[in-house]
Amino acid sequence: MLNVVSNQLKQLIIVSYYESLDSCAKQLDVKINAMREYVSYLEEKRYQIFNLIEKYTIELDNKYIDRIEDFKIAYANKIDDHDLVWLQEQINKLESDSAKIDEAIQCTLKQIANAIAERTMLSEMNSLL
């Protein structure tokens, strides 16, 4: 009787162990997919920011050219215009945002690599038993 109970407990522990490993593996798969989607979102946002930077840079250049032509100013760097200052501030802000996005992408890619390593380890543990 004791032997039967002992065998059933062993079976219960083994089944519980495998179910636990499977549950952890599934959670890691979900986490990895979510992080990959986040990286895709960040890359799309970075692309949009680069487009805005390009647009504002072209607009800024055009405004400088217009001011030079309109006022026959020899040195464009002496122009004191709110539009020019605003555009330059926007470009600087967007470049800062882009750097932050690059940093977030790198951090998330490292997290993905760690989660994949953890998932691989769980798979190897599961195959050993």
Side-chain angles (χ1 to χ4, degrees):
M1 174 78 163
L2 186 58
N3 197 18
V4 171
V5 171
S6 176
N7 285 339
Q8 288 179 346
L9 280 175
K10 285 180 186 176
Q11 287 298 321
L12 179 64
I13 290 171
I14 289 173
V15 168
S16 176
Y17 177 76
Y18 280 121
E19 287 176 357
S20 176
L21 285 178
D22 286 341
S23 175
C24 287
K26 287 176 184 175
Q27 288 175 350
L28 283 171
D29 288 341
V30 169
K31 183 178 179 180
I32 290 167
N33 287 334
M35 287 188 287
R36 285 181 175 154
E37 288 175 11
Y38 180 60
V39 167
S40 294
Y41 162 78
L42 289 175
E43 287 173 341
E44 177 62 29
K45 188 170 182 167
R46 180 177 55 184
Y47 174 76
Q48 292 171 353
I49 286 175
F50 283 144
N51 285 340
L52 279 175
I53 290 171
E54 185 176 326
K55 176 186 170 199
Y56 286 155
T57 302
I58 290 170
E59 189 174 339
L60 182 64
D61 290 345
N62 288 337
K63 285 193 180 284
Y64 270 116
I65 290 169
D66 290 346
R67 295 296 184 260
I68 291 170
E69 290 175 3
D70 289 346
F71 300 108
K72 308 290 185 209
I73 296 175
Y75 301 103
N77 60 352
K78 292 185 179 180
I79 297 175
D80 186 23
D81 189 297
H82 295 292
D83 289 343
L84 300 177
V85 172
W86 181 85
L87 283 169
Q88 188 61 52
E89 287 172 353
Q90 293 304 308
I91 291 169
N92 291 342
K93 181 183 175 296
L94 290 169
E95 287 174 343
S96 172
D97 290 347
S98 178
K100 289 176 186 174
I101 287 173
D102 286 339
E103 185 178 323
I105 288 172
Q106 292 305 315
C107 180
T108 304
L109 290 174
K110 287 178 186 176
Q111 290 174 346
I112 289 172
N114 290 338
I116 289 172
E118 190 175 341
R119 175 69 169 92
T120 302
M121 183 184 71
L122 283 174
S123 296
E124 289 175 3
M125 287 174 60
N126 198 6
S127 68
L128 290 176
L129 297 175

